[in-house]
Amino acid sequence: MTSPPKATTRTWIGLAVLVLPLLLITIDGTVLIMALPAISAELSPTGTEQLWMIDIYSLVLAGLLVAMATVGDRFGRRRNLLIGAVLFTMASVLGALATAPWMLIGARALLGVGGAFMMPSTLSLVRNMFLDRQQRRYAMAVWGAMASVGAAAGPIVGGWIIETFSWQAAFLMNIPVMVVLLILGPALLPESRNPDLHRIDLPSVLLSFVGLIGVVYGIKTLTGDEGPALGVAAVVIGLIAIGLFVRRQLVLPTPLMDVRLFKIRYFRGAVVTDVLSIFAMVGALVALVQFLQLVLGLSPLQASVWLMPQALMAATAAFVAAALVKRFLPAYVIALGLTIAVSGFVLTAFLTPASSPVLVGASLVLVSLGAGMGLTLSNDIIMSSVKPERAGQAAATSETAYEIGMTLGTAVLGGVLVSWYTRTVLAGSHAMDLTAGLTERVSSTLAEALLVAAELGGDSGAAIVELSRSAFTEAITVTGLAGAGVMAFAAIWSLVTLRGASAHQDLAAEHEREDRLEHEH
């Protein structure tokens, strides 16, 4: 058997260009976390609007990833990448010009559309550019490192930009990078497509989008104060749409998403590991970044300094995993990484309103190191489980898992954070003799509570500050322990489902052999 061709210098330069949009897409998933206090002061969004500002981007991105991956497979992955760059640029301009919460939410949604065009192309092009397994593992390590760095660096970039300029600059920073991609992409990136695909099934696009939005909106509603009826109805509608989507994919000659890929044990195990890991990691990031600013009182730039070790660790983790997997099976390295992340979540149990930012930094470093190790290898397993012509479908599934994890992490763990804070503040505010309007403002978000405290001043303001910061710290501890439980389950799941997968064998060929033997029997 002839060995697959090695990547050339031009291919590696193309990879450098390819990770530029990936870096921005992941940065934009978390960049507004640091900007929330500044946005709250200028646009006065409600607590629910704040959550939508963060996760509408990931929600739209996840809802369209599968459809856009199929479009890229059919019409060209490089073409999709460049179309997405144009949309991303337009959305960035609109976000910078937003003067109301709904405008900002709309701009973030359009950013999600642009990201959905680009993100599947980044991973599927890596799969097609690097055919040698050893080289592809290191290319995937670079891809994973950039994804992790982007998620980790979002708040850091946001903190620096907000301190130096304004929150609007968090949108404008996207434009120069997109221009570079539009200039260099056509010259350095090869076009690739799947010639077997003939059409895009629009009902499948609609069902996948309705299903995801229904489930996430329902969860957000259930963790809020709107009452259970609407939330339950939305979840039920979403699950029905997802069920119909899966059923339709099984009968279509060219499905929008090849759900049969989940019959591959390693593929299935790695995708679920991704969802659970990102779910927990994003929940921790949302909570702890706000703790640095709103509880400890650090400026955005000061807070970003304490996040830098996390970003460096996120970049390092992918290469640590690539080195360890030379000696140990991927399942063991992934489980080790996720166990390290659990220890980072456990540290949140020791937080108090007077804690040092060192404790927050240590927690985030452990979470980033552990989750980064796991995500690098699980992504490699996902992409190595399929043949190159199915790379678009595998990439879409992997990135959909990433965005679903991010969206649900923000919705569920962010919802737990807000809900626990609100409940605790309401319980402690009865003795303060506040008006109903002030009580509602204080219990909505910590940022709003601090504004009320500044308005009142004196003993009443000081009491509100103490109550709200204590309530938020308690909510972070509850959220952190919930994240630890999710990450621990992910470690056990990966150990069970990925055991036997080798970093050196052709997983796609192994699956074909198993499938052939099954049919023969």
Side-chain angles (χ1 to χ4, degrees), residues 266-476:
Y266 299 143
F267 183 91
R268 180 176 64 248
V271 168
V272 174
T273 299
D274 271 11
V275 172
L276 295 174
S277 303
I278 296 159
F279 175 95
M281 183 175 67
V282 170
L285 189 63
V286 170
L288 291 175
V289 167
Q290 292 186 75
F291 180 87
L292 288 171
Q293 287 188 265
L294 299 177
V295 176
L296 300 187
L298 302 183
S299 70
L301 188 58
Q302 290 172 329
S304 68
V305 169
W306 289 102
L307 295 175
M308 285 183 182
Q310 175 217 9
L312 293 175
M313 193 58 67
T316 304
F319 300 100
V320 171
L324 287 175
V325 83
K326 292 180 180 179
R327 299 185 58 187
F328 305 100
L329 289 174
Y332 297 134
V333 179
I334 292 172
L336 171 64
L338 300 185
T339 303
I340 292 172
V342 169
S343 67
F345 284 108
V346 171
L347 289 182
T348 61
F350 300 97
L351 287 175
T352 70
S355 289
S356 166
V358 173
L359 185 59
V360 177
S363 174
L364 289 172
V365 160
L366 290 172
V367 171
S368 291
L369 171 62
M373 289 171 58
L375 291 170
T376 297
L377 296 183
S378 61
N379 273 322
D380 180 52
I381 289 173
I382 289 170
M383 298 307 297
S384 299
S385 298
V386 303
K387 291 296 184 182
E389 59 268 18
R390 303 175 82 183
Q393 289 284 326
T397 305
S398 174
E399 288 155 352
T400 301
Y402 183 95
E403 296 304 330
I404 287 175
M406 181 171 286
T407 303
L408 291 179
T410 305
V412 177
L413 294 183
V416 169
L417 181 74
V418 171
S419 178
W420 196 277
Y421 166 81
T422 298
R423 187 180 300 113
T424 305
V425 169
L426 288 175
S429 63
H430 296 306
M432 292 187 178
D433 196 28
L434 298 175
T435 65
L438 288 178
T439 300
E440 182 179 355
R441 289 180 62 191
V442 169
S443 63
S444 62
T445 65
L446 176 55
E448 189 67 18
L450 296 179
L451 288 176
V452 172
E455 293 170 6
L456 294 178
D459 293 339
S460 297
I464 289 174
V465 170
E466 182 179 358
L467 171 64
S468 60
R469 285 179 169 167
S470 296
F472 194 80
T473 304
E474 182 181 324
I476 283 182

Side-chain angles (χ1 to χ4, degrees), residues 3-77:
S3 300
K6 299 283 187 178
T8 64
T9 301
R10 181 185 179 88
T11 308
W12 288 104
I13 296 174
L15 176 65
V17 173
L18 197 58
V19 297
L20 287 176
L22 172 67
L23 190 62
L24 270 189
I25 291 167
T26 49
I27 282 177
D28 273 63
T30 54
V31 70
L32 283 195
I33 293 174
M34 190 69 81
L36 277 180
I39 292 172
S40 296
E42 185 169 331
L43 303 184
S44 300
T46 64
T48 300
E49 286 174 335
Q50 287 184 29
L51 289 177
W52 276 113
M53 287 175 183
I54 295 175
D55 60 23
I56 189 64
Y57 169 77
S58 296
L59 177 61
V60 172
L61 184 55
L64 292 177
L65 272 175
V66 174
M68 292 303 103
T70 306
V71 171
D73 287 349
R74 175 68 179 87
F75 298 106
R77 292 152 185 158

